[in-house]
Amino acid sequence: MATQKSGARGLGTAAAAGLGLMTGALAALAAQRHVINSLRMRLDRLEQVAHDQRHTNLANQQRLHWELLSKAIDSPELAEVLDIFEVPTSPQKRRQYLFANALYTNALFYYRVGNITREEFFGYIRGLLQNPVVREYWHATQGQRATLVDGSDEAMLGRMVDGLLRQLEEADVEEWWVVGEPPAE
């Protein structure tokens, strides 16, 4: 009989040990989950900071771009430095091209920071391309766009504008606002 009690007692001890082991494992899993959730929240905050910093950097770059273009637009001597167009231009035409560049890069910036969608960018550019100077500017800078990194936002949007301009030039309609198919997001 003593053996039976010892066996039953050993079984109870084993069950208690197993229960203790399981409780410990569950406690460790809960602690690990807490650490993982904490790390995930920290990573989310860091990603948001990086995103915000990217927007800040883009805004600073846009401001610097405008300041440089403004100086060139105001000074024919400085504008000569930026005369990298496909065809020779007069000082007046160069200033117009620089301003067209400012309008385009402003729209590009708005797209990059998420203030407008690709469809809104398309619509804005479609209207901008109604101006003959803007069309001339776009043709005169074709070589510059050919040097863009193929997968970049600027290259993708540039190709989209190239296609839209071709469609506008081939269209035989008075209603320019219906030419071209806005891109899918």
Side-chain angles (χ1 to χ4, degrees):
M1 193 84 157
T3 311
Q4 286 179 335
K5 282 186 179 182
S6 173
R9 197 176 313 151
L11 200 73
T13 305
L19 186 58
L21 186 60
M22 192 173 0
T23 302
L26 288 173
L29 281 173
Q32 190 177 32
R33 183 167 220 36
H34 177 72
V35 168
I36 289 171
N37 285 340
S38 238
L39 289 172
R40 186 172 289 131
M41 286 173 45
R42 185 172 182 201
L43 181 61
D44 289 345
R45 281 193 302 271
L46 289 173
E47 286 175 347
Q48 184 61 46
V49 167
H51 183 263
D52 293 347
Q53 185 61 49
R54 181 175 184 271
H55 281 191
T56 299
N57 292 345
L58 282 169
N60 288 336
Q61 181 61 41
Q62 178 69 9
R63 189 174 9 273
L64 178 60
H65 181 259
W66 174 246
E67 287 173 14
L68 292 171
L69 281 180
S70 292
K71 287 180 181 188
I73 289 169
D74 292 342
S75 167
E77 294 82 21
L78 294 178
E80 285 181 28
V81 174
L82 294 176
D83 191 351
I84 52 176
F85 305 110
E86 301 288 322
V87 293
T89 59
S90 68
Q92 176 187 355
K93 184 65 69 176
R94 191 176 312 122
R95 289 175 65 193
Q96 291 173 330
Y97 283 4
L98 293 175
F99 190 72
N101 174 265
L103 292 173
Y104 176 75
T105 55
N106 187 56
L108 177 65
F109 169 73
Y110 265 42
Y111 172 77
R112 282 182 172 164
V113 299
N115 286 352
I116 60 173
T117 65
R118 198 170 8 177
E119 186 175 345
E120 290 168 321
F121 177 88
F122 183 86
Y124 173 76
I125 295 300
R126 182 170 41 196
L128 198 58
L129 288 173
Q130 297 313 300
N131 184 295
V133 174
V134 173
R135 286 182 186 210
E136 288 174 28
Y137 158 77
W138 196 256
H139 288 297
T141 56
Q142 182 178 359
Q144 293 173 37
R145 285 188 307 285
T147 66
L148 296 173
V149 175
D150 201 35
S152 69
D153 283 343
E154 194 167 355
M156 181 264 308
L157 293 173
R159 286 189 302 274
M160 183 180 75
V161 175
D162 288 340
L164 175 59
L165 181 56
R166 260 190 316 279
Q167 291 173 23
L168 286 167
E169 289 175 340
E170 293 170 358
D172 191 26
V173 295
E174 294 286 323
E175 300 167 334
W176 57 267
W177 54 92
V178 299
V179 175
E181 192 64 34
E185 286 296 319

